[in-house]
Every structure is written in structure tokens, then in C-alpha cells.
Amino acid sequence: MSSTATRHRTGLIVLVALAAALLVAGLVLGRSSIDRLVPSLPDVPATEFVVGLGAATAVVALIAALRRAAAATRAGARARALESVDGGAVACGIRNRELVARLAELRQPGSRGGTLPGRFSILADDAGISFWGGGRRPSRVASFPWREVRNIRSDSTVAGSASVPVAVIRIRRGGTSIELPVMLSDPRPGRYALTDGPFFATVRAWKARHRAALAAEGLELPPLTGAIPVVRPHAVA
């Protein structure tokens, strides 16, 4: 997980460096053309330029805030609908490309899975674990009965410049064993990924449901992984 995220970050840095190099080369090669073009441009009063730039920035920020609010409202309605119908534990996940690609690998031939939204719901109940999109009428994107879940463990990945925890769910289906990296969303305003105590509590709850379901069917229990840290609220700075 961490090595994969590091490779992605390194690739992104290389792409940005190449783009910067191409931009500098273009400016150097086209310097004469730029020198001829600049004097012909109309003068723009500094005050009007600053006001226009500020207005454009405000509009972009407002649109982004409205989109985040709409997504949060939709995710909240979906979670309430799932809890009222099923009664299982619902968590919120953050979509990432690796998760989407691995879900596609697990998709059964001929089946048509839905699209995983940027913030999706994860339902863990007595039957298994499933991923959901939609709003007040949730739509199931993928589901896995507990017998297909080999183990659940915690790991970490890099998001931007920060290291955040992820829940890694290993699925065994049709002779294929694939790990699904699930990053959980923090419901608190201004936060991104769920961390510390709340994250580990969610993973422990999933592991407990998994073991209970396998035991009820008389199936072999997965080996216990290392202890999951319990972070007390007063220990978090």
C-alpha cells in the first residue's frame, strides 16, 4: 500500500517537473514573439484586474463549496436510508483510483456494477460488506459475503503530503485474491480522512462481524492480525 502510493506520488512529481521544464523551454524559445506581443496588448487598470481576479476566485470557491455541501447531503441521506432498512453499521469511504480498479477486477463477468461516487457508503451487516452510491434511494455498487473476505487489516497510504490510515480488505472470489484499499472519510467539517481512534474502532467492528459470521457458518476463522491501536480521546492532541 505505502509503496504503491509512493510510486504514484513520485510519478506525479516527475510529470510536474516535465511540465515545468516544457513551459520554461517554450518561454525561452518564444521570447522574441512574446516581446512583440506584449506591447500590443491593451492596458488593464490594476484595480479592475485585482477586482476581477478576486471575483473569479470567489465564484470558484463558492461552486466548490456548494458541490461539497451537495455531496455531503447526498451521502447523509444515503447513510440514513441504509441504516433504517438494514440496521447494519454504515461508514463513509473516499473513492480512489486503486480501489476503483480493483473492484473492476473482482466484478463478475457479465455483471454491470454502478459507479462509485467520490464519497460512498460502506455497509457492514450480518451478510457481508458492501459499497453503495446514490442518495435517498441507495444503489449497490459492489457486495461481498463474509465468506469471500479473507482478512481485514489496517495499513497506511499517502494523501497529498500526509500519511493516512486505510482499511485493507482482502477478497477471495473465483480463484482471484485482491486487496481493496478503503480510506474512510471523517464526518467532521473541514476534515478529510478518518484517523486515530474512530478509524481503528471501525476496523475492529468490521473484523468482529467477519469472525462472528464465519463462526456462525462453521467456517475457518482468519488468523488474528497484530493488535489494532486504541487511541483514547484525551491522548489525541
Side-chain angles (χ1 to χ4, degrees):
M1 275 299 304
S2 298
S3 61
T4 301
T6 301
R7 290 198 300 271
H8 289 169
R9 183 174 60 175
T10 302
L12 180 60
I13 293 174
V14 171
L15 289 176
V16 172
L18 288 175
L22 291 174
L23 177 61
V24 172
L27 291 175
V28 172
L29 295 175
R31 181 175 179 180
S32 59
S33 300
I34 294 174
D35 291 340
R36 291 194 302 270
L37 177 63
V38 170
S40 65
L41 296 175
D43 293 334
V44 178
T47 303
E48 293 184 8
F49 175 77
V50 171
V51 171
L53 180 60
T57 302
V59 169
V60 172
L62 177 61
I63 293 174
L66 290 175
R67 291 185 63 182
R68 285 196 298 269
T73 301
R74 187 175 178 83
R78 179 175 62 241
R80 289 190 296 271
L82 289 172
E83 289 171 346
S84 64
V85 173
D86 190 274
V90 180
C92 182
I94 302 174
R95 182 184 62 198
N96 62 77
R97 287 181 295 179
E98 190 172 1
L99 174 61
V100 172
R102 295 187 179 186
L103 284 174
E105 291 182 50
L106 287 168
R107 190 165 296 158
Q108 296 175 343
S111 64
R112 297 181 59 185
T115 301
L116 202 67
R119 293 293 187 275
F120 60 94
S121 293
I122 307 163
L123 174 64
D125 57 13
D126 294 338
I129 192 163
S130 52
F131 301 153
W132 297 76
R136 289 180 297 176
R137 296 183 176 180
S139 59
R140 185 165 51 196
V141 178
S143 63
F144 307 98
W146 288 124
R147 66 171 63 90
E148 291 185 347
V149 177
R150 304 303 297 171
N151 60 61
I152 303 171
R153 62 181 177 85
S154 60
D155 203 334
S156 63
T157 188
V158 176
S161 59
S163 177
V164 297
V166 291
V168 181
I169 306 172
R170 178 178 287 277
I171 303 296
R172 179 76 174 179
R173 171 177 286 179
T176 301
S177 183
I178 291 180
E179 290 188 335
L180 303 178
V182 181
M183 186 185 300
L184 300 178
S185 175
D186 194 322
R188 292 173 293 180
R191 301 298 183 96
Y192 182 62
L194 193 67
T195 60
D196 299 324
F199 168 82
F200 291 113
T202 300
V203 176
R204 286 198 304 273
W206 290 355
K207 290 168 70 71
R209 282 185 177 270
H210 180 212
R211 294 181 66 84
L214 295 185
E217 294 188 39
L219 300 175
E220 180 183 357
L221 300 182
L224 289 174
T225 56
I228 297 177
V230 177
V231 182
R232 304 299 181 187
H234 63 270
V236 180

